[in-house]
């Protein structure tokens, strides 16, 4: 499979854009990047024009030909100008061909480049080796495409580090057939030992055992990518204010990902009042009220009790602009 991806050529050479269009983009990029204007008859301008013609224009035209718009192109080059230093024939086109034959559509490749333009400058052999490591563990094509579309940095990591992380994720009992597997690999690859231990200490400080932290990681690996502040704020509200047990978060760590001010706080206020009034029992999972849409929450926990507790709407609206009648 790897040899096919590396060798097959699919770049549409006939789709170069016109010279004036690309020159306009280059001029705008250089003016913004270096905050200077070069007179048209200066030696520097002449050299720049020659460089545009012979080296830079084909690279810009190539990016435009695969669907990178002028606005996105300008942002990419301004944030990552070294990309134009990479060889068109030896790096940019082979990398594009590799992504194209995964297979990924041009619009998906453009999305990847927009999120992480450095992927085009990454050694194709490294990407191929990392993908091969995932495939050897039985990771399905759907998960491979998920990684490339949402977490392309995983393919740029040191190959040995990726293999070690894969082995560790396997030892934790993750199933390679699930998306959770590649998420867990990503988290381990991007977390230093110190960062990981600091997150563990935060969870422990709220009473979670090592077994519960492991359970939470297996349920939602990205819970170990949250900032210490976000973990602390959510856990403090759930445990100290709502008086729920640590295990409730361990069973559904996705609760920590929601917007604290716009969803967690207003909804917890409502649930706390309902619990105090004896209208609902203590929840053993956060999913029923945090994981639902606003309409569903209002219907189930606010409108349902409007006759016996009409002030509940104001409880929910405090600190939040209510969008629904």
């Amino acid at each position: 499979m790897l040899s096919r991806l590396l060798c097959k050529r699919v770049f549409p050479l006939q789709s170069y854009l016109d010279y004036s269009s690309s020159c306009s983009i280059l001029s705008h990029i250089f003016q913004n990047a270096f905050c200077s204007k070069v007179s048209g008859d200066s030696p520097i301008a002449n050299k720049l024009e020659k460089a545009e013609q012979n080296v830079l224009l084909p690279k810009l035209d190539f990016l435009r030909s695969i669907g990178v718009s002028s606005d996105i192109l300008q942002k990419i080059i301004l944030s990552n100008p070294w990309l134009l230093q990479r060889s068109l024939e030896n790096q940019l086109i082979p990398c594009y061909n590799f992504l194209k034959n995964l297979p990924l559509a041009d619009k998906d490749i453009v999305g990847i480049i927009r999120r992480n333009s450095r992927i085009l400058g990454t050694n194709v052999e490294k990407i191929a080796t990392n993908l091969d490591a995932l495939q050897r563990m039985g990771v399905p094509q759907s998960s491979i495409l998920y990684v490339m579309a949402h977490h392309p940095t995983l393919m740029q990591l040191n190959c040995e580090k990726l293999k070690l992380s894969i082995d560790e994720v396997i030892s934790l009992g993750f199933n390679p057939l699930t998306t959770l597997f590649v998420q867990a690999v990503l988290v381990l690859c991007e977390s230093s030992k110190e960062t990981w231990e600091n997150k563990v200490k935060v969870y422990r400080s709220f009473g979670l055992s090592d077994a519960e932290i492991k359970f939470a990681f297996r349920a939602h690996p990205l819970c170990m990518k949250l900032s210490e502040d976000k973990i602390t704020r959510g856990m403090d509200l759930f445990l100290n204010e709502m008086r729920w047990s640590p295990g409730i978060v361990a069973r559904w760590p996705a609760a920590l990902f929601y917007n604290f001010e716009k969803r967690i706080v207003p909804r917890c206020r409502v649930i706390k009042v309902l619990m105090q009034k004896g209208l609902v029992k203590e929840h053993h999972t956060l999913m029923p009220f945090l994981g639902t849409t606003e309409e569903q929450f209002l219907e189930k926990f606010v409108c349902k009790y409007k006759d016996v507790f009409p002030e509940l709407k104001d409880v929910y609206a405090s600190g939040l602009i209510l969008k629904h009648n």
Side-chain angles (χ1 to χ4, degrees):
M1 175 183 178
L2 296 180
S3 60
R4 177 177 63 82
L5 291 174
L6 291 171
C7 296
K8 189 172 180 183
R9 184 182 181 85
V10 292
F11 167 55
L13 290 170
Q14 72 278 9
S15 56
Y16 275 161
L17 301 180
D18 63 279
Y19 172 84
S20 60
S21 174
S22 293
C23 265
S24 175
I25 297 171
L26 270 176
S27 176
H28 191 61
I29 289 173
F30 287 142
Q31 286 181 19
N32 280 278
F34 304 110
C35 300
S36 64
K37 294 184 180 180
V38 181
S39 60
D41 56 352
S42 69
I44 295 178
N46 294 332
K47 290 181 180 180
L48 179 58
E49 182 179 355
K50 185 176 181 180
E52 289 173 350
Q53 268 186 304
N54 299 334
V55 180
L56 301 181
L57 281 176
K59 298 174 184 178
L60 292 175
D61 287 342
F62 161 69
L63 293 172
R64 291 286 300 274
S65 74
I66 65 175
V68 180
S69 67
S70 298
D71 290 341
I72 295 176
L73 180 59
Q74 180 175 319
K75 291 177 181 178
I76 289 174
I77 302 305
L78 286 175
S79 64
N80 185 19
W82 67 269
L83 187 64
L84 292 181
Q85 297 179 353
R86 305 310 299 268
S87 169
L88 176 63
E89 292 293 334
N90 298 327
Q91 177 60 47
L92 302 185
I93 292 177
C95 190
Y96 166 78
N97 290 339
F98 184 89
L99 297 175
K100 186 74 173 178
N101 286 295
L102 280 176
L104 286 169
D106 278 348
K107 63 184 180 73
D108 297 320
I109 296 176
V110 171
I112 294 171
I113 297 172
R114 184 176 57 203
R115 284 187 289 273
N116 180 15
S117 60
R118 286 175 172 78
I119 192 70
L120 276 183
T122 304
N123 183 278
V124 179
E125 292 288 350
K126 174 186 283 189
I127 301 176
T129 300
N130 285 339
L131 280 178
D132 187 55
L134 292 173
Q135 291 168 337
R136 287 179 181 275
M137 298 308 305
V139 176
Q141 183 77 353
S142 58
S143 293
I144 296 294
L145 297 180
Y146 167 81
V147 168
M148 293 306 306
H150 300 284
H151 305 289
T153 53
L154 191 63
M155 297 299 99
Q156 299 170 276
L157 295 173
N158 177 276
C159 299
E160 288 303 317
K161 182 176 182 179
L162 177 62
K163 291 177 181 178
L164 290 174
S165 297
I166 290 175
D167 292 339
E168 188 171 352
V169 169
I170 288 291
S171 70
L172 290 172
F174 282 87
N175 184 350
L177 296 177
T178 66
T179 304
L180 292 178
F181 179 87
V182 292
Q183 288 182 351
V185 171
L186 175 74
V187 173
L188 288 181
C189 284
E190 294 186 346
S191 300
S192 66
K193 184 176 181 180
E194 180 182 4
T195 299
W196 179 273
E197 286 300 323
N198 288 339
K199 303 286 179 66
V200 169
K201 288 178 181 178
V202 174
Y203 282 115
R204 283 176 183 160
S205 70
F206 287 98
L208 269 72
S209 65
D210 288 348
E212 287 175 323
I213 296 173
K214 179 180 177 180
F215 185 90
F217 180 64
R218 290 183 60 183
H220 202 315
L222 298 181
C223 71
M224 294 302 288
K225 284 200 68 176
L226 293 172
S227 69
E228 293 178 37
D229 178 66
K230 188 166 181 61
I231 295 172
T232 299
R233 295 176 75 194
M235 295 295 291
D236 182 61
L237 178 63
F238 296 146
L239 275 61
N240 297 331
E241 186 173 336
M242 299 302 293
R243 301 297 179 182
W244 288 321
S245 66
I248 195 173
V249 181
R251 287 191 293 273
W252 200 59
L256 294 170
F257 286 78
Y258 291 113
N259 186 285
F260 190 77
E261 289 79 13
K262 295 182 179 180
R263 178 173 295 213
I264 295 178
V265 171
R267 295 191 184 192
C268 280
R269 285 177 181 171
V270 170
I271 297 301
K272 185 175 182 179
V273 171
L274 290 176
M275 289 169 56
Q276 291 172 341
K277 296 292 184 179
L279 296 174
V280 299
K281 296 181 180 180
E282 180 177 348
H283 281 266
H284 297 290
T285 173
L286 305 178
M287 177 63 183
F289 67 92
L290 281 182
T292 58
T293 65
E294 188 174 6
E295 292 85 352
Q296 292 170 332
F297 177 82
L298 289 173
E299 180 64 30
K300 186 173 182 179
F301 296 104
V302 178
C303 298
K304 180 179 179 179
Y305 302 102
K306 63 182 180 180
D307 294 332
V308 295
F309 192 27
E311 296 87 357
L312 200 58
K313 184 177 180 180
D314 294 328
V315 172
Y316 178 70
S318 59
L320 176 71
I321 299 176
L322 196 60
K323 299 179 181 179
H324 306 280
N325 296 324

